[in-house]
Amino acid sequence: MAFCSKCGTQLPDEAGFCNSCGANTASGAPAQGGAPKGFIAEVYTRSLDVLMKKPILLWGISLLHGLLVILAFLFTGFIPLLWLPIILVLELGMASVFLGGYRGKAISSTQLFEGFSKKFFRNAGGMGWKYLWLLIWLLIPIAGIVFYIIKYYSYRFVPYIMLKEPDITATDALKKSMAMTKGYRAKMFGADMLLIAAVVVLTIVFALIALIPFLGPILLVIYYILLIVLLPLLIGVLGAAYYDKVEKENPM
């Protein structure tokens, strides 16, 4: 029986990280001490570790999610009142997949439908309420984009809060997300900007590599395929990483 040396939590077999404090472990052995990582370093280290362990499964579920979104458009005749609630609840299900995968739990495609069987209209309404407020902030003249970015990070935990608290109202979910993200919004923004910068740099590098005859264009195509497949997954896992870390450090 193994326990985390940092917080004392009992560890499951072959745990990569402590589910309580996030400390790194070695094949289920107690976590070793050491200097704590910064916010960005920790979320990226754990997110990449999760992504590398389950790339095919996460990609397959993500692909199914995309297919279901397309089907929602087709079978509702592109009527927003019909397809929008379905897509919003599917997004909630995808958040459940990423969070479960990040926390080392078993994940499956059935999680995509989690929001349909339990309070569908409440789930759709809660997600819709989040995006409605983002739209309202965006429409503010001149400074709208600034307010949108701030509120985007303020409301970022709404899906996870709604998953964890099935009885919470949409308004309360927004309020709780704002309270939880206080002090962390700039850190999440910085982590996202780092990802964007890395993608820009890599794209420039591979664009230059593409100038090499024969091999260059092939490498560029491979890069774009990996970017299309892995980038959405990394963004999803990072979102779960933000919530997991903040929930542990700033429980409400």
Side-chain angles (χ1 to χ4, degrees):
M1 184 179 297
F3 295 88
C4 174
S5 62
K6 183 176 180 181
C7 68
T9 300
Q10 183 178 342
L11 300 174
D13 293 337
E14 300 181 356
F17 295 90
C18 173
N19 291 332
S20 179
C21 70
N24 188 32
T25 65
S27 300
Q32 302 299 316
K37 296 180 179 179
F39 181 89
I40 293 178
E42 181 175 339
V43 296
Y44 269 101
T45 299
R46 289 194 61 188
S47 295
L48 290 172
D49 180 67
V50 170
L51 186 57
M52 292 302 100
K53 286 180 178 178
K54 302 178 179 180
I56 303 301
L57 180 56
L58 285 172
W59 181 75
I61 297 176
S62 179
L63 190 64
L64 176 60
H65 171 261
L67 177 61
L68 291 172
V69 168
I70 294 173
L71 291 176
F73 280 113
L74 295 176
F75 284 96
T76 58
F78 297 93
I79 301 173
L81 190 61
L82 298 179
W83 58 256
L84 187 57
I86 297 174
I87 291 176
L88 291 174
V89 176
L90 284 172
E91 181 184 344
L92 193 68
M94 200 66 212
S96 175
V97 170
F98 284 125
L99 184 59
Y102 184 80
R103 289 179 168 174
K105 299 178 180 179
I107 58 175
S108 70
S109 58
T110 58
Q111 289 175 255
L112 289 175
F113 308 99
E114 185 174 333
F116 288 87
S117 58
K118 301 176 181 178
K119 301 183 179 181
F120 171 82
F121 292 104
R122 171 262 185 190
N123 294 331
M127 294 295 290
W129 190 241
K130 166 191 169 182
Y131 286 113
L132 176 60
W133 272 105
L134 286 176
L135 177 61
I136 291 172
W137 287 110
L138 183 62
L139 293 177
I140 296 176
I142 304 176
I145 185 64
V146 176
F147 282 109
Y148 175 87
I149 293 173
I150 295 172
K151 294 302 178 181
Y152 171 81
Y153 288 97
S154 298
Y155 304 156
R156 192 153 187 179
F157 294 164
V158 167
Y160 309 107
I161 293 171
M162 295 186 68
L163 286 168
K164 182 179 179 181
E165 303 179 40
D167 295 323
I168 196 170
T169 65
T171 301
D172 287 341
L174 256 66
K175 291 179 179 178
K176 184 167 184 177
S177 180
M178 288 189 286
M180 288 183 67
T181 56
K182 188 175 181 180
Y184 290 90
R185 297 164 198 165
K187 295 178 181 180
M188 292 189 288
F189 177 77
D192 286 344
M193 289 303 100
L194 179 62
L195 178 60
I196 293 173
V199 170
V200 170
V201 171
L202 285 173
T203 301
I204 294 173
V205 169
F206 276 93
L208 295 174
I209 292 176
L211 299 176
I212 301 174
F214 305 111
L215 181 60
I218 295 175
L219 292 176
L220 182 63
V221 171
I222 293 174
Y223 165 72
Y224 277 122
I225 291 175
L226 291 175
L227 187 66
I228 292 171
V229 172
L230 296 179
L231 184 58
L233 300 182
L234 180 56
I235 292 173
V237 176
L238 274 174
Y242 298 156
Y243 174 74
D244 185 79
K245 182 168 179 61
V246 174
E247 185 189 36
K248 291 183 174 67
E249 296 182 355
N250 187 27
M252 301 297 297

